Amino acid sequence: MTRHRNRTAAAMTAGALGLMLTGCGEQTPTSTQGSKIPPYADAEQLPEQLAPDGTTIVVGDPAAPAKVRVYEDPRCPVVEEFENLGGASALREMTVDRETKTEYTFASFRDDRLGGDGSKRAVNALRAALEADKFVEYHEVLFQNQIEVESSGGFTTSALLDLADEVNGLRSDSFDHAVKTMKYETFVKDSQKAYDGANGDEPLGPGTPTVVINDKQVPEEIFGLLFEEDLFRELLTSAHRSPGWWKAYQPT
């Protein structure tokens, strides 16, 4: 299941639900103010690792006060909008500032619906990039080029290797071998299972993108905020400040 955004509806919903926003474009406080721990220099300096569950890729300071989990399918056009036009920019900034750590779970259901194996190959390549400590950079490159790549054949092996050339230091014999041989096929399958199981007893996963903040999924009523960078930043800031943030966003 994929989603569709409605920016006007998102803003109207924010007002209707009484979201405690500080205002679009205002500088939000960071966890590093008054702290001895400075933010990371940039996204390339972010630590990245595979969680003990074997399917979650964790980016950022493990001690960050907020946790954000994102469910994505590399071929999903709505994920592309989130990553390039929406709240993902705010999420990256707050991860660099040590306010959040970001966890990724990757689905590949779009292959079954559209044909081909592009999602699976892209997820495998992302796992290979993690092994090279280049996941953050490669993840950004894949979504920056998703539309063009999909229109010209999809995430093929050759396309994934060509895109890897845009990440300094990623290409190597081991990375190329992993991409060509689907070395992390088990990771791809297990990640899809983790996605499928994220929706409780429902037979399908929660849809992509889905964002879960501090173990609470962003409610459907304000799903559109994921595509408004400033509003999504304020949502994350509110969640950072209040453990029960999600209660304020439920309709009365």
Side-chain angles (χ1 to χ4, degrees):
M1 176 178 64
T2 56
R3 313 280 187 77
H4 297 282
R5 63 174 178 165
N6 186 318
R7 291 190 173 188
T8 302
M12 293 177 63
T13 301
L17 296 180
L19 304 192
M20 296 178 290
L21 306 180
T22 60
C24 294
E26 292 183 14
Q27 181 65 39
T28 56
T30 68
S31 63
T32 58
Q33 291 177 349
S35 171
K36 294 182 180 179
I37 304 177
Y40 296 101
D42 52 41
E44 294 183 7
Q45 301 302 313
L46 289 169
E48 51 190 52
Q49 61 183 321
L50 186 66
D53 63 12
T55 60
T56 304
I57 294 178
V58 183
V59 175
D61 186 348
K67 177 179 67 175
V68 178
R69 178 178 290 268
V70 184
Y71 294 89
E72 298 183 331
D73 185 311
R75 294 180 71 184
C76 177
V78 191
V79 175
E80 186 273 336
E81 292 185 58
F82 170 70
E83 284 292 336
N84 293 322
L85 303 175
S89 294
L91 180 57
R92 282 190 289 270
E93 290 174 8
M94 295 183 73
T95 304
V96 168
D97 287 342
R98 299 182 187 264
E99 289 204 16
T100 69
K101 66 176 178 180
T102 305
E103 301 178 343
Y104 293 93
T105 298
F106 289 103
S108 49
F109 61 85
R110 294 281 290 180
D111 288 350
D112 295 332
R113 300 183 185 183
L114 300 177
D117 58 2
S119 286
K120 296 181 181 66
R121 289 192 174 279
V123 174
N124 173 75
L126 285 166
R127 176 65 182 85
L130 176 67
E131 203 66 22
D133 201 28
K134 297 289 183 178
F135 167 80
V136 171
E137 298 97 306
Y138 192 54
H139 175 265
E140 185 173 359
V141 166
L142 288 194
F143 281 105
Q144 285 176 342
N145 292 275
Q146 187 215 71
I147 294 176
E148 180 180 355
V149 169
E150 279 292 289
S151 66
S152 61
F155 285 118
T156 62
T157 297
S158 59
L160 290 165
L161 292 175
D162 287 344
L163 290 174
D165 284 330
E166 299 185 23
V167 178
N168 185 38
L170 177 56
R171 291 293 299 270
S172 67
D173 289 344
S174 60
F175 175 82
D176 290 6
H177 177 76
V179 172
K180 292 176 181 178
T181 64
M182 285 290 292
K183 177 180 178 179
Y184 298 104
E185 186 174 6
T186 298
F187 170 81
V188 175
K189 293 178 179 178
D190 289 346
S191 295
Q192 176 63 39
K193 289 179 182 178
Y195 165 80
D196 288 336
N199 219 20
D201 295 331
E202 296 293 327
L204 299 175
T208 58
T210 286
V211 174
V212 179
I213 305 174
N214 292 339
D215 298 319
K216 292 293 182 180
Q217 183 175 328
V218 173
E220 187 71 28
E221 292 83 4
I222 58 170
F223 174 76
L225 296 185
L226 271 61
F227 305 94
E228 296 285 350
E229 181 178 346
D230 290 327
L231 293 179
F232 187 65
R233 179 180 289 104
E234 299 303 337
L235 177 64
L236 291 176
T237 300
S238 177
H240 164 60
R241 292 171 176 168
S242 174
W245 66 273
W246 57 276
K247 298 177 182 178
Y249 303 93
Q250 293 181 323
T252 56

